[in-house]
Amino acid sequence: MSVLNAAQENAVAELLRVSPLADELGHRFGAAGHELHLVGGSVRDALLGRLGDDLDFCTDARPEQTLAVVQGWADAIWETGREFGTIGIQKNGLRIEITTFRAEAYDGVTRNPVVEYGDSLLEDLERRDFTINAMAVSLPGHTFTDPYGGLDDLAAQVIRTPAAPSQSFGDDPLRMLRAARFAAKLRFTVDQKVISAMRDMAADLDRITAERIRDEFTKLMCGADPIAGLRLLVDTGLADRFIPEISGLKLEIDEHAQHKDVYEHTLIVVQNAMRLEGGEGPDFTLRMAALMHDIGKPATKAVGRDGRVSFHHHEVVGARMTKQRMKAMKYPKDVTSDVVELVHLHLRFYGYGRGEWTDSAVRRYVTDAGPLLPRLHKLTRSDVTTRNKRKAANLAADYDALEERIARLAEEEDLARVRPDLDGNAIMELLGVPPGPIVGQAWRFLKELRLDRGPLTRDEAEAELYKWARDNGHLSS
């Protein structure tokens, strides 16, 4: 009982941070004859001492009645979720969603719930995904309601469902992915009965749209411990339903270190990348590139006469596979493009330590990476997972040297914006040609020359342009 009282006190203390606003809203609903309860993730986060600025409430009021209560009080109102019983408002910088008690019904076939309004708080809590999200604090009285032991599960750091897992996941299969996401976000353990149901019902995830899966997976990858979530997805077979390339890594031997397979290597790379993110928060693009960087290995595996395993050009194959998978998951084109490019470039560094890189090669490395260069630095360093301390130290020293060389060249040249020494207008004027393909060809020639030799003087650039034009029959008479 003492745990309950302490947790209640913590929850109330957190609620006081947004009071009197929350209580004021509760009074407004009460005056109109309706209930109002802080619920779900907001209560969970309040108990964990991390209540944010997005608050979720439930009520017996129907959407039109909720609108009548908040009209003239809220700073802004949006009705995009009205068909699901949700009205959104903004007040004093807080984003608030108020949802009518729900008793959702699913037919086990369609991807979207059939929304049915409920009549009580307990009915609403029963339909929620996990016990830790099935608690409520009534307003303005601050009465705590916990019918499914969510408080105890929160203290034990375990994820369970209010109803039987099979019933919960049968209602909404996305909840299986949410279990893995909460394991990643909260570092909680998933109950064995829940895991068993996830394993048995993994195929039901096929009922869910790619967009909903993508959003949950993105949140998982941005969690505090995505490795726990990823392992759960692979071990239950859920990963095979939407990103099977990850499970496919388990049997492949990593050529950098024979003591682990590529699957384990990949998880370590994700962890390494997270440590290099800095204090700016989760970097989904970097984490996703770390996860996908070796998915081309199964398709490129070869065993030489000496018995050594190789994966030639797996970065090229992996980039293509990454593009296909992220497109299937409906990721935005710009995010997909960045991840694909990082996968494609992640091996470019190897060989630098042998002294083979010219200044031209360094310029091309920077130019090809473009704005992704900081992430490429982190991904390349993260890819070193060998237990051989001398080898790891040598690779780190080599990359330190490369970064120093990039910095030195950057002082002399603007490596981030390598351009030809002559622009399009100058090319047209010197060659006496109108806009068209010849100008583009000449521009690309001069850019390649700039990458190879560094900055040219005006006279040198013009001489090279004239020579190129004569050699290719483009010099005007």
Side-chain angles (χ1 to χ4, degrees):
M1 197 65 175
S2 60
V3 175
L4 177 62
N5 290 336
Q8 284 182 276
E9 291 173 4
N10 289 337
V12 171
E14 273 295 297
L15 285 172
L16 290 176
R17 189 171 68 82
V18 296
S19 293
L21 187 146
D23 285 341
E24 182 181 341
L25 185 59
H27 280 298
R28 291 182 69 88
F29 272 83
H34 301 299
E35 302 174 27
L36 186 71
H37 312 273
L38 187 73
V39 73
S42 294
V43 176
R44 180 198 71 228
D45 289 343
L47 291 166
L48 292 173
R50 57 175 77 166
L51 184 63
D53 294 328
D54 293 335
L55 303 179
D56 294 323
F57 294 89
C58 67
T59 179
D60 60 343
R62 298 299 190 256
E64 62 275 10
Q65 295 171 317
T66 294
L67 283 171
V69 171
V70 301
Q71 198 75 45
W73 180 80
D75 297 332
I77 299 174
W78 57 93
E79 302 181 42
T80 52
R82 182 169 180 170
E83 64 176 312
F84 299 107
T86 300
I87 299 298
I89 66 174
Q90 183 168 328
K91 179 70 174 181
N92 296 347
L94 293 174
R95 290 175 59 88
I96 296 170
E97 287 193 347
I98 306 168
T99 303
T100 302
F101 290 154
R102 298 263 283 273
E104 290 177 347
Y106 295 75
D107 61 13
V109 178
T110 58
R111 294 172 172 174
N112 295 314
V114 177
V115 176
E116 295 180 358
Y117 294 138
D119 297 314
S120 71
L121 173 63
L122 292 180
E123 186 180 16
D124 182 272
L125 295 178
E126 183 181 16
R127 58 153 284 276
R128 294 184 177 268
D129 52 5
F130 306 111
T131 60
I132 58 174
N133 295 331
M135 298 177 284
V137 176
S138 302
L139 296 167
H142 293 170
T143 301
F144 185 80
T145 303
D146 178 22
Y148 300 105
L151 191 62
D152 290 338
D153 288 343
L154 201 64
Q157 299 187 338
V158 65
I159 297 172
R160 292 191 306 113
T161 54
S166 58
Q167 177 184 334
S168 181
F169 297 154
D171 283 347
D172 185 0
L174 187 67
R175 289 173 175 171
M176 295 185 287
L177 190 52
R178 284 171 62 82
R181 193 251 286 187
F182 279 117
K185 175 182 179 180
L186 302 175
R187 299 181 185 272
F188 281 14
T189 300
V190 180
D191 181 76
Q192 281 301 318
K193 291 181 180 179
V194 174
I195 293 176
S196 295
M198 292 166 68
R199 187 176 291 114
D200 293 342
M201 302 177 67
D204 285 14
L205 193 64
D206 297 348
R207 290 163 42 196
I208 305 300
T209 63
E211 291 85 354
R212 293 180 72 200
I213 291 174
R214 174 203 64 205
D215 291 346
E216 285 296 327
F217 182 71
T218 300
K219 292 174 183 177
L220 183 156
M221 287 297 296
C222 292
D225 184 13
I227 306 306
L230 290 168
R231 287 192 186 281
L232 191 57
L233 293 181
V234 171
D235 293 346
T236 57
L238 284 168
D240 293 336
R241 314 312 303 185
F242 68 96
I243 189 165
E245 295 84 359
I246 306 307
S247 302
L249 294 173
K250 293 193 76 169
L251 301 179
E252 302 304 320
I253 303 301
D254 177 36
E255 84 276 25
H256 297 312
Q258 298 296 321
H259 61 274
K260 68 177 85 70
D261 62 23
V262 177
Y263 173 70
E264 293 296 334
H265 162 77
T266 295
L267 297 184
I268 294 172
V269 174
V270 174
Q271 288 180 315
N272 291 345
M274 290 171 58
R275 283 194 286 268
L276 295 177
E277 283 176 336
E280 299 178 1
D283 184 343
F284 171 76
T285 297
L286 176 62
R287 294 186 183 192
M288 190 65 174
L291 180 66
M292 304 297 279
H293 80 285
D294 274 350
I295 64 166
K297 284 187 172 179
T300 57
K301 180 181 177 181
V303 181
R305 293 180 179 179
D306 59 356
R308 292 182 61 84
V309 177
S310 65
F311 304 94
H312 295 306
H313 305 300
H314 75 266
E315 75 281 10
V316 177
V317 175
R320 183 171 66 247
M321 293 171 65
T322 298
K323 183 176 182 179
Q324 293 170 345
R325 179 53 54 200
M326 293 188 70
K327 181 178 180 181
M329 293 176 71
K330 308 293 186 182
Y331 276 100
K333 290 183 178 179
D334 58 336
V335 176
T336 299
S337 177
D338 285 350
V339 174
V340 168
E341 191 64 16
L342 287 169
V343 172
H344 184 257
L345 293 174
H346 84 273
L347 284 185
R348 281 279 291 272
F349 161 72
Y350 292 96
Y352 176 81
R354 296 194 294 268
E356 300 170 357
W357 282 39
T358 61
D359 284 352
S360 173
V362 175
R363 292 188 195 98
R364 290 178 187 279
Y365 187 76
V366 174
T367 301
D368 289 348
L372 293 174
L373 184 62
R375 285 189 174 115
L376 182 58
H377 286 330
K378 295 174 183 177
L379 178 60
T380 301
R381 290 184 180 276
S382 299
D383 197 22
V384 179
T385 64
T386 177
R387 292 179 183 175
N388 185 319
K389 293 184 178 180
R390 185 171 63 178
K391 183 177 181 181
N394 288 339
L395 287 169
D398 287 345
Y399 209 83
D400 287 342
L402 174 59
E403 290 198 63
E404 290 172 3
R405 191 169 174 187
I406 289 172
R408 187 168 61 252
L409 283 174
E411 291 180 0
E412 305 167 3
E413 315 168 31
D414 187 359
L415 292 182
R417 297 178 58 84
V418 172
R419 295 290 186 274
D421 296 285
L422 300 173
D423 62 17
N425 290 327
I427 291 170
M428 288 187 288
E429 180 180 349
L430 291 167
L431 299 185
V433 296
I438 293 176
V439 179
Q441 294 168 16
W443 190 93
R444 287 188 289 274
F445 163 76
L446 289 172
K447 181 176 180 179
E448 290 296 312
L449 196 65
R450 171 75 166 73
L451 288 169
D452 284 337
R453 293 170 48 181
L456 304 178
T457 66
R458 176 78 182 201
D459 289 343
E460 289 172 333
E462 290 184 4
E464 291 291 346
L465 175 63
Y466 285 135
K467 182 178 184 302
W468 173 86
R470 284 194 300 271
D471 291 345
N472 290 274
H474 298 316
L475 191 61
S476 178
S477 57

